[in-house]
Amino acid sequence: DQQVKQNSPSLSVQEGRISILNCDYTNSMFDYFLWYKKYPAEGPTFLISISSIKDKNEDGRFTVFLNKSAKHLSLHIVPSQPGDSAVYFCAALVGGGNKLTFGTGTQLKVEL
Amino acid sequence: NAGVMQNPRHLVRRRGQEARLRCSPMKGHSHVYWYRQLPEEGLKFMVYLQKENIIDESGMPKERFSAEFPKEGPSILRIQQVVRGDSAAYFCASSWQGTNTEAFFGQGTRLTVV
């Protein structure tokens, strides 16, 4: 039972353009969402998060949008840079809990 | 301030052997989480420990797997009598507080069972 879904296994974007990574969830108890970036042979690195009381959170080139009614969130990266090429994981938490539920990841490739 | 340190980075075991994976949390962190990533999948929660205590082991297989986080020393994830299906990347994360919103991950241990 995949409670957090990332339906696009890969995404290719040109440098300078916007990258949009999507994530859907099924568990309505999730109230905190995070995005992680992962390079090969390394651990996930925290990027940005959002609480369910908000619908947008911005940090530099990264913005996360949350649509609770659709149980959907997205990560926007603008402008995209070659160094952004990595696997991006969406993750969710229930009520300040301790157990992250991850999606399967989207491989982003930013091309010159 | 060193990050979360996991060792070994790569571990090869024959079927039936034991695997021991170590995780040293960041300085000042007393909460440790273990996750497993099978090929082509996302990370799956295994266990959450706070010094000397297992808080949540709901993601741990019932048999052959155990975890500890002693008062002194690293956290250990132990897999007895490994099988090919145990081949995966095992990640450890640590946090200062008991929520995963500020957890930092190690580089992982890639276990290969031959």
Side-chain angles (χ1 to χ4, degrees):
Chain A
D1 176 30
Q2 191 68 29
Q3 296 185 61
V4 178
K5 299 176 186 177
Q6 293 176 258
N7 292 319
S8 298
S10 64
L11 175 67
S12 189
V13 170
Q14 276 197 315
E15 182 182 12
R17 307 294 287 267
I18 185 170
S19 295
I20 300 176
L21 296 100
N22 294 303
C23 178
D24 298 291
Y25 61 96
T26 56
N27 188 345
S28 56
M29 299 296 290
F30 289 141
D31 62 358
Y32 197 85
F33 303 90
L34 308 90
W35 283 94
Y36 284 86
K37 175 180 179 180
K38 186 180 178 305
Y39 293 117
E42 292 188 13
T45 303
F46 170 76
L47 261 182
I48 192 169
S49 62
I50 188 166
S51 165
S52 60
I53 62 172
K54 294 185 173 182
D55 54 19
K56 178 183 174 182
N57 189 25
E58 195 170 351
D59 183 2
R61 296 186 297 115
F62 302 91
T63 303
V64 56
F65 295 92
L66 175 62
N67 182 334
K68 288 191 292 294
S69 60
K71 294 192 176 69
H72 176 84
L73 63 155
S74 60
L75 174 68
H76 293 211
I77 307 173
V78 56
S80 300
Q81 300 172 353
D84 295 330
S85 297
V87 177
Y88 289 78
F89 289 99
C90 167
L93 276 172
V94 172
N98 49 61
K99 189 183 338 188
L100 285 165
T101 300
F102 281 86
T104 51
T106 297
Q107 172 77 60
L108 173 66
K109 184 177 180 183
V110 179
E111 297 171 322
L112 297 170
Chain B
N1 187 12
V4 178
M5 303 301 291
Q6 289 188 250
N7 68 81
R9 292 291 309 277
H10 300 275
L11 182 61
V12 179
R13 284 288 177 265
R14 294 186 185 280
R15 280 178 293 170
Q17 290 185 318
E18 178 179 287
R20 282 188 178 232
L21 289 64
R22 293 174 185 76
C23 170
S24 296
M26 285 181 71
K27 189 176 180 181
H29 287 189
S30 60
H31 302 261
V32 164
Y33 316 82
W34 284 92
Y35 289 81
R36 175 167 67 173
Q37 184 182 22
L38 294 169
E40 309 300 324
E41 294 188 15
L43 283 75
K44 296 273 198 299
F45 170 83
M46 298 182 76
V47 63
Y48 161 43
L49 309 101
Q50 192 181 356
K51 279 289 185 182
E52 301 185 271
N53 293 306
I54 296 174
I55 308 299
D56 183 345
E57 56 180 348
S58 57
M60 286 277 269
K62 299 297 180 202
E63 296 177 350
R64 302 187 298 107
F65 285 72
S66 62
E68 62 177 14
F69 189 16
K71 188 176 179 182
E72 301 291 336
S75 175
I76 307 283
L77 179 68
R78 183 181 175 207
I79 311 171
Q80 295 178 292
Q81 299 174 325
V82 295
V83 301
R84 289 231 172 97
D86 297 333
S87 295
Y90 291 82
F91 292 97
C92 165
S94 73
S95 67
W96 175 65
Q97 295 179 325
T99 65
N100 232 320
T101 58
E102 296 288 339
F104 295 86
F105 281 82
Q107 292 182 300
T109 293
R110 183 161 296 280
L111 172 65
T112 302
V113 179
V114 297

CSV table of all heavy atoms in Angstrom, one decimal, chain A residues 2 32 34 36 38 41-46 49 89 93 96-105, chain B residues 9 33 35 37 40-45 48 55-56 58 91 98-101 103 105-108:
chain,number,residue,atom,x,y,z
A,2,GLN,N,1.0,1.9,-1.2
A,2,GLN,CA,1.8,3.0,-1.3
A,2,GLN,C,1.1,4.3,-0.9
A,2,GLN,O,0.2,4.8,-1.7
A,2,GLN,CB,2.3,3.1,-2.8
A,2,GLN,CG,3.4,4.1,-3.1
A,2,GLN,CD,4.7,3.7,-2.4
A,2,GLN,OE1,5.1,2.5,-2.3
A,2,GLN,NE2,5.5,4.7,-2.1
A,32,TYR,N,2.4,16.9,7.7
A,32,TYR,CA,3.7,17.5,7.5
A,32,TYR,C,4.4,16.8,6.3
A,32,TYR,O,4.5,15.6,6.3
A,32,TYR,CB,4.6,17.5,8.7
A,32,TYR,CG,5.7,18.5,8.8
A,32,TYR,CD1,5.5,19.8,9.2
A,32,TYR,CD2,7.0,18.1,8.4
A,32,TYR,CE1,6.5,20.7,9.3
A,32,TYR,CE2,8.0,19.0,8.4
A,32,TYR,CZ,7.8,20.3,8.9
A,32,TYR,OH,8.8,21.2,8.9
A,34,LEU,N,7.7,16.8,3.4
A,34,LEU,CA,9.1,17.1,3.2
A,34,LEU,C,9.6,16.7,1.8
A,34,LEU,O,9.1,15.7,1.3
A,34,LEU,CB,10.0,16.5,4.2
A,34,LEU,CG,9.7,16.6,5.7
A,34,LEU,CD1,8.8,15.5,6.2
A,34,LEU,CD2,10.9,16.6,6.5
A,36,TYR,N,13.2,15.7,-0.2
A,36,TYR,CA,14.6,15.3,0.0
A,36,TYR,C,15.2,15.2,-1.4
A,36,TYR,O,14.5,14.7,-2.4
A,36,TYR,CB,14.8,14.0,0.7
A,36,TYR,CG,14.5,14.1,2.2
A,36,TYR,CD1,13.3,14.0,2.8
A,36,TYR,CD2,15.6,14.3,3.1
A,36,TYR,CE1,13.1,14.1,4.1
A,36,TYR,CE2,15.4,14.4,4.5
A,36,TYR,CZ,14.1,14.3,5.0
A,36,TYR,OH,13.9,14.4,6.3
A,38,LYS,N,18.5,13.4,-3.4
A,38,LYS,CA,19.5,12.3,-3.2
A,38,LYS,C,20.4,12.2,-4.4
A,38,LYS,O,19.9,11.9,-5.5
A,38,LYS,CB,18.8,11.0,-2.9
A,38,LYS,CG,19.7,9.9,-2.5
A,38,LYS,CD,18.9,8.6,-2.2
A,38,LYS,CE,19.9,7.5,-1.8
A,38,LYS,NZ,20.9,7.3,-2.9
A,41,ALA,N,24.8,7.1,-4.3
A,41,ALA,CA,25.8,6.7,-3.3
A,41,ALA,C,25.8,7.7,-2.1
A,41,ALA,O,26.8,7.6,-1.3
A,41,ALA,CB,27.1,6.5,-3.9
A,42,GLU,N,24.8,8.5,-2.0
A,42,GLU,CA,24.7,9.4,-0.8
A,42,GLU,C,23.4,9.2,-0.1
A,42,GLU,O,22.4,8.7,-0.7
A,42,GLU,CB,25.0,10.8,-1.2
A,42,GLU,CG,26.4,11.1,-1.7
A,42,GLU,CD,26.6,12.6,-1.9
A,42,GLU,OE1,25.8,13.4,-1.4
A,42,GLU,OE2,27.6,12.9,-2.5
A,43,GLY,N,23.3,9.8,1.1
A,43,GLY,CA,22.0,9.8,1.8
A,43,GLY,C,21.1,10.9,1.3
A,43,GLY,O,21.6,11.9,0.7
A,44,PRO,N,19.8,10.8,1.6
A,44,PRO,CA,18.9,11.9,1.3
A,44,PRO,C,19.3,13.2,2.0
A,44,PRO,O,19.7,13.1,3.2
A,44,PRO,CB,17.6,11.4,1.7
A,44,PRO,CG,17.7,9.9,1.9
A,44,PRO,CD,19.1,9.7,2.2
A,45,THR,N,19.2,14.3,1.4
A,45,THR,CA,19.4,15.6,2.0
A,45,THR,C,18.1,16.4,2.0
A,45,THR,O,17.5,16.5,1.0
A,45,THR,CB,20.5,16.4,1.2
A,45,THR,OG1,21.7,15.6,1.1
A,45,THR,CG2,20.8,17.7,1.9
A,46,PHE,N,17.8,16.9,3.2
A,46,PHE,CA,16.6,17.7,3.3
A,46,PHE,C,16.6,18.9,2.5
A,46,PHE,O,17.6,19.7,2.4
A,46,PHE,CB,16.4,18.1,4.8
A,46,PHE,CG,15.3,19.1,5.0
A,46,PHE,CD1,13.9,18.6,5.0
A,46,PHE,CD2,15.5,20.4,5.3
A,46,PHE,CE1,12.9,19.6,5.2
A,46,PHE,CE2,14.5,21.3,5.5
A,46,PHE,CZ,13.2,20.9,5.4
A,49,SER,N,10.2,21.9,3.5
A,49,SER,CA,9.1,21.2,4.0
A,49,SER,C,7.9,22.1,4.1
A,49,SER,O,8.0,23.4,3.9
A,49,SER,CB,9.4,20.7,5.5
A,49,SER,OG,9.7,21.8,6.3
A,89,PHE,N,12.8,12.9,-3.5
A,89,PHE,CA,11.8,12.1,-2.8
A,89,PHE,C,10.9,13.0,-2.0
A,89,PHE,O,11.3,14.0,-1.3
A,89,PHE,CB,12.5,11.2,-1.7
A,89,PHE,CG,13.2,10.0,-2.4
A,89,PHE,CD1,14.6,10.1,-2.5
A,89,PHE,CD2,12.6,8.9,-2.7
A,89,PHE,CE1,15.3,9.0,-3.1
A,89,PHE,CE2,13.3,7.8,-3.3
A,89,PHE,CZ,14.7,7.9,-3.5
A,93,LEU,N,4.7,12.9,7.1
A,93,LEU,CA,4.6,12.6,8.6
A,93,LEU,C,3.2,12.7,9.1
A,93,LEU,O,2.5,13.6,8.6
A,93,LEU,CB,5.5,13.5,9.4
A,93,LEU,CG,7.0,13.2,9.5
A,93,LEU,CD1,7.7,14.4,10.2
A,93,LEU,CD2,7.3,12.0,10.2
A,96,GLY,N,3.4,15.1,13.9
A,96,GLY,CA,4.7,15.3,14.7
A,96,GLY,C,5.3,14.0,15.0
A,96,GLY,O,6.1,13.8,15.9
A,97,GLY,N,5.0,13.0,14.2
A,97,GLY,CA,5.5,11.6,14.5
A,97,GLY,C,7.0,11.4,14.1
A,97,GLY,O,7.6,12.4,13.7
A,98,ASN,N,7.4,10.2,14.2
A,98,ASN,CA,8.8,9.9,14.0
A,98,ASN,C,9.0,9.0,12.8
A,98,ASN,O,10.1,8.5,12.6
A,98,ASN,CB,9.3,9.2,15.2
A,98,ASN,CG,8.4,8.1,15.7
A,98,ASN,OD1,8.2,7.1,15.0
A,98,ASN,ND2,7.8,8.2,16.9
A,99,LYS,N,8.0,8.7,12.0
A,99,LYS,CA,8.1,7.7,10.9
A,99,LYS,C,7.8,8.4,9.6
A,99,LYS,O,6.7,8.7,9.2
A,99,LYS,CB,7.1,6.6,11.2
A,99,LYS,CG,7.2,5.4,10.3
A,99,LYS,CD,6.2,4.4,10.6
A,99,LYS,CE,5.5,4.4,11.9
A,99,LYS,NZ,4.6,3.3,12.1
A,100,LEU,N,8.9,8.7,8.8
A,100,LEU,CA,8.7,9.3,7.5
A,100,LEU,C,8.2,8.2,6.5
A,100,LEU,O,8.7,7.1,6.5
A,100,LEU,CB,10.0,9.8,6.9
A,100,LEU,CG,10.5,11.2,7.6
A,100,LEU,CD1,12.0,11.4,7.2
A,100,LEU,CD2,9.7,12.3,7.1
A,101,THR,N,7.2,8.6,5.7
A,101,THR,CA,6.7,7.7,4.6
A,101,THR,C,7.1,8.3,3.3
A,101,THR,O,6.7,9.5,3.0
A,101,THR,CB,5.2,7.5,4.7
A,101,THR,OG1,4.8,7.0,5.9
A,101,THR,CG2,4.7,6.6,3.6
A,102,PHE,N,8.0,7.6,2.6
A,102,PHE,CA,8.6,8.2,1.4
A,102,PHE,C,7.8,7.7,0.1
A,102,PHE,O,7.3,6.6,0.1
A,102,PHE,CB,10.0,7.7,1.2
A,102,PHE,CG,11.0,8.4,2.1
A,102,PHE,CD1,11.2,8.0,3.4
A,102,PHE,CD2,11.7,9.5,1.6
A,102,PHE,CE1,12.1,8.7,4.2
A,102,PHE,CE2,12.7,10.2,2.4
A,102,PHE,CZ,12.9,9.8,3.7
A,103,GLY,N,7.9,8.6,-0.9
A,103,GLY,CA,7.5,8.2,-2.2
A,103,GLY,C,8.6,7.4,-2.9
A,103,GLY,O,9.7,7.3,-2.3
A,104,THR,N,8.4,7.0,-4.1
A,104,THR,CA,9.5,6.2,-4.8
A,104,THR,C,10.5,7.0,-5.5
A,104,THR,O,11.5,6.5,-6.0
A,104,THR,CB,8.8,5.2,-5.8
A,104,THR,OG1,7.9,6.0,-6.6
A,104,THR,CG2,8.0,4.1,-5.1
A,105,GLY,N,10.3,8.3,-5.5
A,105,GLY,CA,11.3,9.2,-6.1
A,105,GLY,C,11.1,9.5,-7.6
A,105,GLY,O,10.5,8.8,-8.3
B,9,ARG,N,30.4,1.3,4.3
B,9,ARG,CA,29.7,1.9,3.2
B,9,ARG,C,29.1,0.7,2.3
B,9,ARG,O,28.0,0.8,1.8
B,9,ARG,CB,30.5,2.8,2.4
B,9,ARG,CG,30.9,4.1,3.1
B,9,ARG,CD,29.7,5.0,3.3
B,9,ARG,NE,28.9,5.3,2.1
B,9,ARG,CZ,29.2,6.2,1.2
B,9,ARG,NH1,30.3,6.9,1.3
B,9,ARG,NH2,28.4,6.3,0.1
B,33,TYR,N,17.0,6.8,13.6
B,33,TYR,CA,16.0,6.1,12.8
B,33,TYR,C,16.7,5.3,11.7
B,33,TYR,O,17.7,5.7,11.1
B,33,TYR,CB,15.1,7.1,12.0
B,33,TYR,CG,14.7,8.3,12.9
B,33,TYR,CD1,15.5,9.3,13.1
B,33,TYR,CD2,13.4,8.3,13.5
B,33,TYR,CE1,15.1,10.4,13.9
B,33,TYR,CE2,13.0,9.3,14.3
B,33,TYR,CZ,13.9,10.4,14.5
B,33,TYR,OH,13.5,11.4,15.3
B,35,TYR,N,16.2,3.3,8.0
B,35,TYR,CA,15.4,3.1,6.8
B,35,TYR,C,16.1,2.1,5.9
B,35,TYR,O,17.3,2.0,5.8
B,35,TYR,CB,15.1,4.4,6.1
B,35,TYR,CG,14.3,5.4,6.8
B,35,TYR,CD1,14.8,6.2,7.9
B,35,TYR,CD2,12.9,5.5,6.5
B,35,TYR,CE1,13.9,7.1,8.5
B,35,TYR,CE2,12.1,6.4,7.2
B,35,TYR,CZ,12.6,7.2,8.2
B,35,TYR,OH,11.8,8.0,8.9
B,37,GLN,N,16.1,0.9,1.7
B,37,GLN,CA,15.7,1.2,0.3
B,37,GLN,C,16.0,0.0,-0.5
B,37,GLN,O,17.2,-0.3,-0.8
B,37,GLN,CB,16.4,2.5,-0.2
B,37,GLN,CG,15.9,2.8,-1.6
B,37,GLN,CD,16.6,4.0,-2.2
B,37,GLN,OE1,17.8,4.4,-1.8
B,37,GLN,NE2,16.0,4.7,-3.2
B,40,GLU,N,14.8,0.2,-6.8
B,40,GLU,CA,13.6,0.8,-7.5
B,40,GLU,C,12.5,1.2,-6.6
B,40,GLU,O,11.4,1.5,-7.0
B,40,GLU,CB,13.1,-0.1,-8.6
B,40,GLU,CG,14.1,-0.6,-9.6
B,40,GLU,CD,14.8,0.4,-10.3
B,40,GLU,OE1,14.2,1.5,-10.7
B,40,GLU,OE2,16.0,0.3,-10.6
B,41,GLU,N,12.8,1.4,-5.3
B,41,GLU,CA,11.7,1.7,-4.3
B,41,GLU,C,12.2,3.0,-3.5
B,41,GLU,O,13.4,3.3,-3.5
B,41,GLU,CB,11.4,0.6,-3.4
B,41,GLU,CG,10.8,-0.6,-4.1
B,41,GLU,CD,10.3,-1.6,-3.1
B,41,GLU,OE1,10.2,-1.3,-1.9
B,41,GLU,OE2,10.0,-2.8,-3.6
B,42,GLY,N,11.2,3.5,-2.8
B,42,GLY,CA,11.6,4.6,-1.9
B,42,GLY,C,12.1,4.0,-0.6
B,42,GLY,O,12.1,2.8,-0.4
B,43,LEU,N,12.5,4.9,0.3
B,43,LEU,CA,13.0,4.5,1.6
B,43,LEU,C,11.8,4.0,2.5
B,43,LEU,O,10.7,4.7,2.5
B,43,LEU,CB,13.7,5.6,2.3
B,43,LEU,CG,15.1,5.9,1.9
B,43,LEU,CD1,15.1,6.6,0.5
B,43,LEU,CD2,15.9,6.7,2.9
B,44,LYS,N,12.0,2.9,3.2
B,44,LYS,CA,10.9,2.4,4.1
B,44,LYS,C,11.4,2.4,5.5
B,44,LYS,O,12.5,1.9,5.8
B,44,LYS,CB,10.6,1.0,3.7
B,44,LYS,CG,10.0,0.8,2.3
B,44,LYS,CD,8.5,1.0,2.3
B,44,LYS,CE,7.7,0.5,1.1
B,44,LYS,NZ,8.1,1.1,-0.2
B,45,PHE,N,10.6,3.0,6.4
B,45,PHE,CA,10.9,3.1,7.8
B,45,PHE,C,11.1,1.7,8.4
B,45,PHE,O,10.3,0.8,8.1
B,45,PHE,CB,9.9,3.8,8.6
B,45,PHE,CG,10.0,3.8,10.1
B,45,PHE,CD1,10.8,4.6,10.7
B,45,PHE,CD2,9.2,2.9,10.8
B,45,PHE,CE1,10.9,4.6,12.1
B,45,PHE,CE2,9.3,2.8,12.2
B,45,PHE,CZ,10.1,3.7,12.8
B,48,TYR,N,12.8,3.1,15.1
B,48,TYR,CA,13.2,4.4,15.8
B,48,TYR,C,13.7,4.1,17.2
B,48,TYR,O,13.0,3.4,17.9
B,48,TYR,CB,12.0,5.3,15.7
B,48,TYR,CG,12.0,6.5,16.7
B,48,TYR,CD1,13.2,7.3,16.9
B,48,TYR,CD2,10.9,6.9,17.4
B,48,TYR,CE1,13.2,8.3,17.8
B,48,TYR,CE2,10.9,7.9,18.3
B,48,TYR,CZ,12.0,8.6,18.5
B,48,TYR,OH,12.0,9.7,19.4
B,55,ILE,N,11.8,2.8,20.4
B,55,ILE,CA,10.5,3.5,20.6
B,55,ILE,C,9.5,3.0,19.6
B,55,ILE,O,8.3,2.8,20.0
B,55,ILE,CB,10.7,5.0,20.3
B,55,ILE,CG1,11.9,5.6,21.2
B,55,ILE,CG2,9.5,5.8,20.6
B,55,ILE,CD1,11.7,5.4,22.7
B,56,ASP,N,9.9,2.7,18.4
B,56,ASP,CA,8.9,2.2,17.4
B,56,ASP,C,9.7,1.3,16.5
B,56,ASP,O,10.6,1.7,15.8
B,56,ASP,CB,8.4,3.5,16.6
B,56,ASP,CG,7.3,3.1,15.6
B,56,ASP,OD1,7.2,1.9,15.2
B,56,ASP,OD2,6.7,4.0,15.1
B,58,SER,N,7.9,-0.8,14.3
B,58,SER,CA,6.8,-1.3,13.5
B,58,SER,C,7.2,-1.6,12.0
B,58,SER,O,6.5,-2.4,11.4
B,58,SER,CB,5.6,-0.2,13.4
B,58,SER,OG,6.1,1.0,12.9
B,91,PHE,N,19.8,3.1,5.4
B,91,PHE,CA,20.1,4.5,5.8
B,91,PHE,C,19.7,4.7,7.3
B,91,PHE,O,18.7,4.3,7.7
B,91,PHE,CB,19.4,5.5,4.9
B,91,PHE,CG,19.8,5.5,3.5
B,91,PHE,CD1,19.1,4.8,2.5
B,91,PHE,CD2,20.9,6.2,3.1
B,91,PHE,CE1,19.5,4.8,1.2
B,91,PHE,CE2,21.4,6.2,1.8
B,91,PHE,CZ,20.7,5.5,0.9
B,98,GLY,N,12.6,14.3,19.1
B,98,GLY,CA,12.0,13.0,18.7
B,98,GLY,C,11.0,13.1,17.6
B,98,GLY,O,10.1,12.3,17.5
B,99,THR,N,11.2,14.1,16.7
B,99,THR,CA,10.4,14.1,15.5
B,99,THR,C,11.3,14.1,14.3
B,99,THR,O,12.5,14.5,14.4
B,99,THR,CB,9.5,15.3,15.4
B,99,THR,OG1,10.3,16.5,15.2
B,99,THR,CG2,8.6,15.5,16.6
B,100,ASN,N,10.8,13.6,13.2
B,100,ASN,CA,11.7,13.4,12.0
B,100,ASN,C,11.7,14.6,11.2
B,100,ASN,O,12.3,14.6,10.1
B,100,ASN,CB,11.2,12.2,11.2
B,100,ASN,CG,12.3,11.2,11.0
B,100,ASN,OD1,13.4,11.7,10.7
B,100,ASN,ND2,12.1,10.0,11.0
B,101,THR,N,11.2,15.8,11.6
B,101,THR,CA,11.2,16.9,10.8
B,101,THR,C,12.6,17.6,10.6
B,101,THR,O,12.8,18.4,9.7
B,101,THR,CB,10.2,18.0,11.3
B,101,THR,OG1,10.7,18.3,12.6
B,101,THR,CG2,8.8,17.5,11.4
B,103,ALA,N,15.5,15.6,10.8
B,103,ALA,CA,16.4,14.4,10.8
B,103,ALA,C,17.5,14.6,9.7
B,103,ALA,O,17.2,15.1,8.6
B,103,ALA,CB,15.7,13.1,10.6
B,105,PHE,N,20.4,12.5,7.4
B,105,PHE,CA,20.7,11.1,7.0
B,105,PHE,C,22.2,10.9,6.8
B,105,PHE,O,22.9,11.8,6.4
B,105,PHE,CB,20.0,10.8,5.7
B,105,PHE,CG,18.5,10.5,5.8
B,105,PHE,CD1,17.6,11.5,5.9
B,105,PHE,CD2,18.1,9.2,5.9
B,105,PHE,CE1,16.2,11.2,6.1
B,105,PHE,CE2,16.7,8.9,6.0
B,105,PHE,CZ,15.8,9.9,6.1
B,106,GLY,N,22.6,9.7,7.1
B,106,GLY,CA,23.9,9.2,6.7
B,106,GLY,C,24.0,8.8,5.3
B,106,GLY,O,23.0,8.9,4.5
B,107,GLN,N,25.2,8.4,4.8
B,107,GLN,CA,25.4,8.1,3.4
B,107,GLN,C,24.9,6.7,3.1
B,107,GLN,O,24.9,6.3,1.9
B,107,GLN,CB,26.9,8.2,3.1
B,107,GLN,CG,27.3,9.7,3.1
B,107,GLN,CD,28.8,9.8,2.7
B,107,GLN,OE1,29.7,9.2,3.3
B,107,GLN,NE2,29.0,10.5,1.6
B,108,GLY,N,24.6,5.9,4.1
B,108,GLY,CA,24.0,4.6,3.8
B,108,GLY,C,25.0,3.5,3.8
B,108,GLY,O,26.2,3.7,3.6
